[in-house]
Amino acid sequence: MSAAMPGQYFSDFAAALRYWRGKRGHSQLRLATDSGISQRHLSFLESGRSQPSREMILKLGVALDIPLRERNVMLLAAGFAPAYQERKMDDPELRAVKQALDFMLAQQAPYPALVVDRLWNLVMSNEPANRFFKWLLGMPEDAPIPRDGSINVIKLTLAPDGLRPYLRNWEEVGADLLHWIQREAMSDGPGSEASTLLAELRALADLPGAGAEAAGLAPNLDRRALPFLPLTVRKDGVELNLFTTITTLGTPHDVTVHELRVEAFFPADEASAAWFRGR
């Protein structure tokens, strides 16, 4: 995916800066202090009376904890080239990252693990994950599972002809998954891919909102409840209780690497663990 064009999210840099300062809830004084510039200069940047340098934009991006992709958008809006590259996973420069991810996926066996991008498009998966999804979807054992980003894991989970029929608690899981994309949409500027995907997922899930309250799904805070949201799957007389962890890569300087997520599935009970070990 190529970097966003300047007018995709914001009319100019000043609009982008005002958006992100408001999104982070910073006053001009706080942002000026955190970024080491004068409040007067910051005010001029937000009004468009002053134009930022490339270094200033990068400094503000760090102070506001703006995602790398959106820092590139701000640079483009100000007339600068992007600072952060966005490589494909088969790029030779990402070979070490790919090897690390392959190692992590292999270590997760016999339990499933996936690598997804920030919008939960499938990038990599281990063999237990492949077998697990083929079993749920009734796919032949030798059928390939694309790992080119064409499969969106959340869409697959929420779709009536996907995994939803086999999820006993799909409403709770769906509300939780929508939170992830809502978080991405809130982190992006208006009109972003994440915002478009969120609208699609809301319609697909047939839930009135992205959050548990809006969907009428209050979290179970009973003391006897599990300390995590289980993913309860039932098919062919088999019931599996799972939970997942999400891992990100540290200190990324590449847009692709910054946006990768490793989702690992773990059994929530011994019966579920035995089923995966048996396969």
Side-chain angles (χ1 to χ4, degrees), residues 20-268:
W20 280 107
R21 185 173 64 78
K23 182 65 67 177
R24 295 298 187 240
H26 286 16
S27 65
Q28 283 190 347
L29 178 59
R30 176 179 173 181
L31 179 55
T33 301
D34 290 348
S35 56
I37 65 176
S38 71
Q39 185 176 354
R40 175 185 173 86
H41 185 43
L42 180 61
S43 177
F44 279 15
L45 290 174
E46 288 196 356
S47 67
R49 294 177 64 184
S50 293
Q51 294 302 310
S53 65
R54 185 174 184 272
E55 292 69 24
M56 177 62 69
I57 296 174
L58 295 176
K59 181 184 293 186
L60 290 169
V62 171
L64 289 169
D65 192 25
I66 299 174
L68 302 190
R69 178 181 298 275
E70 303 309 318
R71 295 183 204 181
N72 279 345
V73 170
M74 293 181 73
L75 286 163
L76 286 165
F80 297 103
Y84 302 96
Q85 294 191 51
E86 184 176 2
R87 303 171 176 88
K88 300 291 186 181
M89 282 302 297
D90 56 2
D91 190 301
E93 294 188 7
L94 292 188
R95 183 175 0 180
V97 173
K98 177 72 161 50
Q99 290 175 340
L101 293 172
D102 281 333
F103 180 80
M104 294 171 69
L105 293 179
Q107 294 302 304
Q108 182 62 15
Y111 309 123
L114 315 169
V115 178
V116 297
D117 64 19
R118 72 191 185 104
L119 300 183
W120 290 74
N121 297 311
L122 183 64
V123 177
M124 299 170 66
S125 56
N126 66 2
E127 193 54 36
N130 297 339
R131 291 198 299 266
F132 182 52
F133 286 117
K134 288 177 183 179
W135 171 66
L136 285 175
L137 297 172
M139 297 172 60
E141 284 292 328
D142 58 350
I145 293 183
R147 299 183 182 93
D148 56 1
S150 60
I151 294 180
N152 185 276
V153 175
I154 297 184
K155 281 185 178 181
L156 181 66
T157 302
L158 297 181
D161 57 349
L163 303 181
R164 185 200 293 190
Y166 309 110
L167 295 179
R168 291 193 61 198
N169 59 335
W170 84 264
E171 293 95 343
E172 294 173 291
V173 171
D176 191 67
L177 291 174
L178 287 175
H179 270 304
W180 280 94
I181 300 302
Q182 183 183 44
R183 192 155 36 208
E184 292 294 340
M186 292 177 66
S187 294
D188 290 357
S192 66
E193 286 183 282
S195 299
T196 300
L197 176 61
L198 178 60
E200 294 176 3
L201 292 173
R202 282 177 174 171
L204 184 64
D206 194 27
L207 295 174
E213 293 97 0
L217 302 170
N220 183 359
L221 300 181
D222 190 283
R223 284 187 173 185
R224 294 182 298 275
L226 292 171
F228 47 75
L229 174 65
L231 180 76
T232 304
V233 176
R234 177 182 287 175
K235 184 183 180 185
D236 300 336
V238 175
E239 182 168 310
L240 304 172
N241 293 299
L242 309 169
F243 67 95
T244 68
T245 63
I246 304 296
T247 304
T248 59
L249 280 72
T251 61
H253 288 174
D254 177 276
V255 173
T256 299
V257 175
H258 181 247
E259 296 176 349
L260 290 177
R261 311 282 187 267
V262 182
E263 181 176 26
F265 293 74
F266 291 90

